[in-house]
Amino acid sequence: MIDRLISTLKALMNGAVEQASERNDLALLSAQIRDAGAAVRAARKAVALARAQNEQDRRRIGTVASAIADLETRAKTALAKGADPLARDAAEAIAVLEDEHAALTQAVTAFEADIAVLTDNLRRAEARLRELERGQRVANVREHVRTASTLGAAVRQSSLTEAEDTLLRIRDRQERGMLADEALASLSALDRPKELISRLADAGCGEPVRSSADAVLDRLKAAKPILIAKS
């Protein structure tokens, strides 16, 4: 009993140490996943902002292109009317806009390539984060199950062993009780031989020891008839 108790205590201590280590790792994992989640959310916002800015630049390119086309048409009209100074002003504005158009186009093209890479990296990071979160949920469930089962395994094993011993004692007592009842019944029969003989006779074992209605009727039938005198 003492050895079993010592073994149980050792198992509990080892289980407690492992459980504490597991809890520390789970807490660390939770903090790391929170940090990773915050980083992914920040990256998601950054990519969204970059896309918005790129879309603004694209719209600006369209606006500049429209302005250039409009100025070219008006400059041609001014040249046709001999308004060279106005045509020159228009030409200067067109030159500035063309430079802006070229710069914006180059920037948008390069930025789109960067955004594509950032988006791909973001998707990979989001997938890894989801996998980590799934793994964390599984680890938490396993820890709860282990807390409910592993730490108590030694105690339950001891309880099962003790229950088995108790059941064995109960069965032994019941068996002894049944044997005692049988022995008592046997002794009671020996103490009452007349009752035993009667039961044997009733069962057809040997001559009957008491009269029965059938026996009486048989005897009466076998007897000579009694003559009744006539008056």
Side-chain angles (χ1 to χ4, degrees):
M1 184 66 181
I2 295 178
D3 292 339
R4 185 186 303 168
L5 179 59
I6 293 175
S7 177
T8 300
L9 290 174
K10 287 182 178 180
L12 287 173
M13 291 176 63
N14 293 334
V17 171
E18 291 181 1
Q19 186 183 22
S21 177
E22 189 75 15
R23 283 198 299 266
N24 290 336
D25 288 341
L26 286 173
L28 177 61
L29 176 62
S30 179
Q32 291 171 335
I33 289 177
R34 283 197 302 271
D35 293 342
V40 167
R41 287 190 295 272
R44 189 182 297 122
K45 290 179 180 179
V47 169
L49 179 60
R51 286 177 177 172
Q53 291 173 341
N54 197 55
E55 182 61 25
Q56 286 180 339
D57 290 341
R58 274 185 159 281
R59 292 179 181 179
R60 176 62 181 168
I61 290 174
T63 301
V64 171
S66 296
I68 290 173
D70 186 41
L71 286 172
E72 286 181 348
T73 300
R74 296 177 186 278
K76 290 177 182 178
T77 301
L79 288 173
K81 291 183 176 182
D84 292 349
L86 285 176
R88 183 174 182 80
D89 291 341
E92 289 178 354
I94 290 171
V96 172
L97 290 174
E98 285 180 342
D99 288 342
E100 183 180 0
H101 186 276
L104 284 172
T105 301
Q106 183 178 0
V108 166
T109 301
F111 205 27
E112 284 179 347
D114 292 338
I115 290 176
V117 173
L118 292 172
T119 300
D120 184 62
N121 291 339
L122 176 60
R123 288 174 179 170
R124 292 175 185 273
E126 289 174 336
R128 292 174 65 186
L129 179 61
R130 288 193 297 270
E131 184 65 26
L132 281 171
E133 290 172 342
R134 284 193 294 269
Q136 182 188 27
R137 289 194 295 271
V138 172
N140 285 332
V141 171
R142 287 179 176 172
E143 174 60 15
H144 288 311
V145 172
R146 199 158 78 100
T147 300
S149 60
T150 304
L151 288 180
V155 175
R156 286 198 308 279
Q157 185 64 31
S158 175
S159 299
L160 288 172
T161 302
E162 292 175 357
E164 289 170 349
D165 293 341
T166 302
L167 178 59
L168 183 60
R169 289 196 303 272
I170 292 172
R171 287 177 176 174
D172 287 342
R173 284 199 303 270
Q174 290 176 343
E175 185 177 0
R176 288 195 300 270
M178 287 187 293
L179 292 175
D181 291 341
E182 292 175 0
L184 180 59
S186 176
L187 289 175
S188 297
L190 293 176
D191 290 340
R192 298 190 299 274
K194 290 182 180 181
E195 181 182 348
L196 179 59
I197 292 171
S198 178
R199 286 195 291 114
L200 288 169
D202 291 341
C205 301
E207 295 295 328
V209 296
R210 56 187 176 186
S211 298
S212 65
D214 292 337
V216 172
L217 285 174
D218 291 340
R219 188 178 70 249
L220 292 175
K221 290 177 181 179
K224 291 180 180 181
I226 298 175
L227 296 178
I228 302 174
K230 296 181 178 179
S231 56

